[in-house]
Amino acid sequence: MSRIELRNVHKRYGNVAVLHDINLTIEPGEFCVFIGPSGCGKSTLLRLIAGLEEISSGELHIDGRMVNDLPPAQRNVAMVFQSYALYPHMSVYENMAFGLRHQKLASGEIDSRVQAAAKSLHLEGLLERKPKALSGGQRQRVAIGRAIVRNPKVFLFDEPLSNLDAALRIQTRVEIARLHRDLGSVSMVYVTHDQVEAMTLADKIVLLRPDTAAKGLPSVAQVGHPLELYHHPRNLFVAGFIGSPSMNFLQGQVLSCTSNRVRVRLAGGQEVLADAVAPQLHADEPVTVGVRPEHVQLGQGAGRGVVSHLEHLGETTQVYLQVPGQQALLLAKGGSPSLKLGDTVPFELPAQHVHVFRADGDALRRPAQPHDVQHGTPARIACA
């Protein structure tokens, strides 16, 4: 069992701040995914845990021990890189056994560990092959097997699937999820830019945002279960980053509010209701309304939009609407295949699925819905 704690961790390269005020706990057996746009520091944060980069300030604890000054070999972590980094002149068996031989383990123990890892990764019939005779997915499994045989407390994955084609990414993603279940108490920390990997693999997502360290803002935008970030984003950045396609954003002003409902007039005149806890909102205050494409209901409601683009995906049709007063197009999933460019379509934004963001980007808290991750009871507060 291995608990990872980062306390007020900062990383600087000279005068350039890369990560700022990271406070994070990864519980034993948890699958934690770091995600964010390019340049946000997710791979750097992983390398800090591995000991491949030095922490500028703050503390890193693994299994209750501060490891800031420990070299990578003494942290009992195993890292799988984006590149497979296999020895081309060695067989699969020798690649997996190489690190164990340097630990001077008995040959019987080495063989037992390699055979067990090969069985768990379905590599039994490939142990005598050289890396050049393997597919990309098989090479990645060998790299994972080389980490497994060390029996580490923590697995670190740095975008391990990015070099694979789409079909192999899906297959290997399933194998990594199965491996996590089989290993049980071993913590896994995984870096990716792929939202599907993050949403399907993670017990906990850590969403990092770029360009915050220089401003003195925490680099972590939000931490939580994948569905918590999806249904309860804390700010515009989280709402816009999590979800593919992205959340729709519409501009408007507050008309009125109660303790748990806000009425907004969108630019263009349409009125929208949102189930949201409104902390001292004022009439005419500018806000941004957010709604995910799958929650836009076409064919009903008082809203009107003109079809400007259609995407027929087989199982569904994505409809892009030009809404009066809005610069951005409104995307809706599930449109009728009979729709044509230029059609005027009624639409509705259900109050229980509408998010409201203040001018500073912070989200109003939404009452928990039955399909959402529960996280607290909203307070009753009035609108000014």
Side-chain angles (χ1 to χ4, degrees):
M1 303 286 281
S2 185
R3 194 168 190 251
I4 304 170
E5 293 180 82
L6 296 100
R7 303 174 184 173
N8 304 113
V9 168
H10 297 70
K11 177 59 181 176
R12 293 179 292 275
Y13 294 103
N15 294 326
V16 179
V18 179
L19 292 169
H20 182 75
D21 197 23
I22 303 289
N23 288 279
L24 175 67
T25 299
I26 301 171
E27 299 294 345
E30 199 165 46
F31 199 124
C32 180
V33 174
F34 297 163
I35 191 171
S38 297
C40 68
K42 51 188 183 291
S43 289
T44 301
L45 183 55
L46 192 77
R47 292 170 67 87
L48 293 178
I49 296 173
L52 301 177
E53 298 276 0
E54 291 185 1
I55 294 174
S56 301
S57 62
E59 296 181 358
L60 170 64
H61 295 253
I62 298 178
D63 203 19
R65 179 174 62 159
M66 191 170 80
V67 299
N68 290 42
D69 298 325
L70 288 183
Q74 296 181 23
R75 297 191 182 194
N76 200 9
V77 302
M79 191 161 180
V80 179
F81 296 90
Q82 181 177 346
S83 60
Y84 315 127
L86 302 178
Y87 296 108
H89 62 288
M90 293 184 181
S91 67
V92 169
Y93 185 100
E94 289 301 322
N95 265 283
M96 294 171 67
F98 182 78
L100 302 181
R101 298 197 194 285
H102 273 265
Q103 295 178 24
K104 303 189 183 304
L105 296 183
S107 59
E109 175 68 12
I110 292 174
D111 185 68
S112 175
R113 291 193 188 187
V114 170
Q115 295 293 343
K119 182 177 181 180
S120 69
L121 294 168
H122 306 292
L123 294 171
E124 305 102 306
L126 306 176
L127 290 176
E128 299 307 315
R129 291 192 189 182
K130 300 287 180 60
K132 66 180 180 181
L134 303 176
S135 69
Q138 289 168 338
R139 293 178 193 179
Q140 191 58 276
R141 278 186 279 157
V142 175
I144 295 172
R146 187 173 53 189
I148 290 175
V149 296
R150 295 181 52 197
N151 293 336
K153 292 181 178 180
V154 178
F155 279 99
L156 306 176
F157 294 89
D158 190 6
E159 302 202 43
L161 310 185
S162 60
N163 289 334
L164 305 180
D165 62 36
L168 277 176
R169 280 202 300 271
I170 296 172
Q171 177 185 342
T172 310
R173 187 176 76 221
V174 172
E175 290 175 351
I176 291 174
R178 178 182 55 79
L179 175 65
H180 176 239
R181 291 194 299 269
D182 292 345
L183 294 177
S185 62
V186 177
S187 302
M188 291 187 176
V189 185
Y190 188 104
V191 165
T192 183
H193 63 274
D194 188 314
Q195 290 195 41
V196 175
E197 290 178 30
M199 295 293 288
T200 56
L201 288 173
D203 300 315
K204 175 186 290 180
I205 286 180
V206 178
L207 177 55
L208 299 169
R209 52 189 168 188
D211 304 325
T212 55
K215 302 173 185 176
L217 300 173
S219 297
V220 176
Q222 188 169 344
V223 178
H225 187 275
L227 292 182
E228 182 178 355
L229 271 68
Y230 189 83
H231 292 298
H232 294 278
R234 290 182 182 171
N235 51 58
L236 274 169
F237 173 77
V238 178
F241 189 87
I242 296 294
S244 180
S246 180
M247 181 182 287
N248 293 295
F249 295 120
L250 304 169
Q251 304 307 311
Q253 290 182 316
V254 174
L255 282 178
S256 62
C257 63
T258 62
S259 61
N260 57 6
R261 178 158 282 196
V262 180
R263 183 182 295 274
V264 176
R265 178 185 287 120
L266 300 180
Q270 180 191 350
E271 294 185 11
V272 174
L273 288 174
D275 291 340
V277 179
Q280 300 298 322
L281 278 178
H282 297 273
D284 298 325
E285 182 173 338
V287 292
T288 299
V289 167
V291 62
R292 298 207 177 272
E294 64 268 26
H295 295 146
V296 179
Q297 296 181 357
L298 298 179
Q300 63 188 67
R304 292 293 184 273
V306 177
V307 178
S308 65
H309 182 62
L310 292 167
E311 293 178 338
H312 301 290
L313 303 179
E315 78 281 3
T316 187
T317 297
Q318 296 190 158
V319 183
Y320 292 80
L321 300 177
Q322 183 65 64
V323 178
Q326 301 293 329
Q327 292 185 346
L329 297 177
L330 178 68
L331 172 59
K333 281 187 175 182
S336 169
S338 63
L339 285 174
K340 301 184 298 297
L341 295 180
D343 286 351
T344 298
V345 182
F347 67 88
E348 183 175 2
L349 309 181
Q352 69 270 28
H353 295 302
V354 173
H355 303 255
V356 180
F357 304 89
R358 304 189 71 164
D360 60 5
D362 287 343
L364 301 187
R365 193 149 48 110
R366 298 171 61 236
Q369 303 296 328
H371 58 280
D372 293 346
V373 175
Q374 304 296 316
H375 65 125
T377 303
R380 292 184 59 84
I381 41 187
C383 177

